Amino acid sequence: MRKEPFITGLYYHVYNRGVDKRDIFSSLNDLRRFVLSIKKFNSIEPVGSLHEALLYKNRNLGVQPPNLAKRLVSIVCYCLNPNHFHFILKQEVDGGISEFIKRLSGGYTTYFNISHDRSGALFQGRFKSCRINSDEYFLKIFPYVNVNYLVHDIPDSKKHLISASDKEYNNMNFDLVSKNEAQNLLEFYGGLEEFKKECMVVVDFTREERGKNKLLLE
């Protein structure tokens, strides 16, 4: 049991990495499967296997199974890196965050192990989480997660294995991100351009803290 249970209606930074710092995405197929899993497992109703959900969709010409409208969580920002992931989540129902991450991690691990002929854990133990409960943390963590891949020096050979919410915000086309939550966030920052500027300020501050070169030109 966690020392502090997740509280419905509040926001949390949730993250985890591959066991022994290994990559959790080895190909675009892996990344696409993880993204699809995020969509399918974010429901208050049991989904069963992702394979079964996809069969239902194909047989019913894209019609979704009934009672899947209510989400476990709302996603505000995310970043999927080759060897770890970050989410900013708002819990929508009691137990929603734990159930969502359990389904996502378990379902994806099963897929990954079968696809790559391996066994055992893929992620480094229980996922980590922090409640966003101060102004200082709020101002840093949303920009940090939105463009987290820029904080790291990810090699060019792996940059195609990145997916982050900044693309959704930049295009104003929300898929994984909750549209309502995105609108609230942009309203707080005074619009998209101001949010983008703040993202780069946080990235450079974080990189400087870690002894890395800044990305912004002076």
Side-chain angles (χ1 to χ4, degrees), residues 31-119:
L31 180 59
R32 289 167 181 155
R33 178 68 175 221
F34 196 82
V35 169
L36 185 59
S37 298
I38 292 171
K39 297 178 182 179
K40 294 297 182 181
F41 290 139
N42 188 12
S43 164
I44 62 171
E45 297 294 333
V47 176
S49 73
L50 186 56
H51 177 67
E52 291 172 352
L54 292 174
L55 284 178
Y56 184 100
K57 180 177 179 180
N58 291 334
R59 290 170 180 169
N60 292 274
L61 302 179
V63 177
Q64 293 296 314
N67 301 321
L68 292 185
K70 182 65 175 178
R71 294 178 177 178
L72 295 167
V73 300
S74 287
I75 299 172
V76 189
C77 297
Y78 67 89
C79 187
L80 313 178
N81 293 312
N83 68 351
H84 70 286
F85 64 77
H86 291 268
F87 289 107
I88 301 292
L89 302 177
K90 177 186 177 185
Q91 180 162 277
E92 295 292 355
V93 298
D94 291 349
I97 289 179
S98 294
E99 182 64 21
F100 171 65
I101 297 297
K102 181 182 75 172
R103 292 181 184 182
L104 177 61
S105 299
Y108 181 74
T109 297
T110 298
Y111 152 80
F112 190 90
N113 284 352
I114 292 173
S115 298
H116 298 279
D117 193 24
R118 70 180 296 274
S119 61

Side-chain angles (χ1 to χ4, degrees), residues 65-218:
N67 301 321
L68 292 185
K70 182 65 175 178
R71 294 178 177 178
L72 295 167
V73 300
S74 287
I75 299 172
V76 189
C77 297
Y78 67 89
C79 187
L80 313 178
N81 293 312
N83 68 351
H84 70 286
F85 64 77
H86 291 268
F87 289 107
I88 301 292
L89 302 177
K90 177 186 177 185
Q91 180 162 277
E92 295 292 355
V93 298
D94 291 349
I97 289 179
S98 294
E99 182 64 21
F100 171 65
I101 297 297
K102 181 182 75 172
R103 292 181 184 182
L104 177 61
S105 299
Y108 181 74
T109 297
T110 298
Y111 152 80
F112 190 90
N113 284 352
I114 292 173
S115 298
H116 298 279
D117 193 24
R118 70 180 296 274
S119 61
L122 177 61
F123 295 99
Q124 187 173 286
R126 180 187 293 181
F127 68 92
K128 314 301 187 297
S129 65
C130 297
R131 181 156 63 95
I132 302 172
N133 58 0
S134 70
D135 291 343
E136 182 181 6
Y137 192 34
F138 177 94
L139 291 171
K140 177 180 179 181
I141 198 61
F142 284 86
Y144 175 83
V145 169
N146 189 53
V147 290
N148 179 259
Y149 63 95
L150 294 177
V151 172
H152 308 286
D153 293 325
I154 297 174
D156 290 342
S157 62
K158 295 184 179 181
K159 286 184 177 178
H160 65 293
L161 302 177
I162 297 169
S163 181
S165 54
D166 65 326
K167 305 299 186 297
E168 297 191 27
Y169 280 94
N170 291 345
N171 297 328
M172 297 299 287
N173 183 18
F174 300 107
D175 185 21
L176 298 183
V177 172
S178 161
K179 185 176 181 179
N180 287 339
E181 294 298 328
Q183 289 174 340
N184 291 338
L185 186 64
L186 292 178
E187 183 178 344
F188 172 83
Y189 278 99
L192 176 60
E193 291 306 313
E194 292 303 315
F195 181 50
K196 289 166 65 175
K197 289 177 184 177
E198 189 62 25
C199 286
M200 293 310 300
V201 168
V202 170
V203 164
D204 272 353
F205 177 78
T206 305
R207 288 180 63 89
E208 187 175 32
E209 279 189 323
R210 299 180 182 183
K212 297 180 179 180
N213 293 331
K214 291 184 177 183
L215 298 182
L216 287 174
L217 294 176
E218 295 294 341

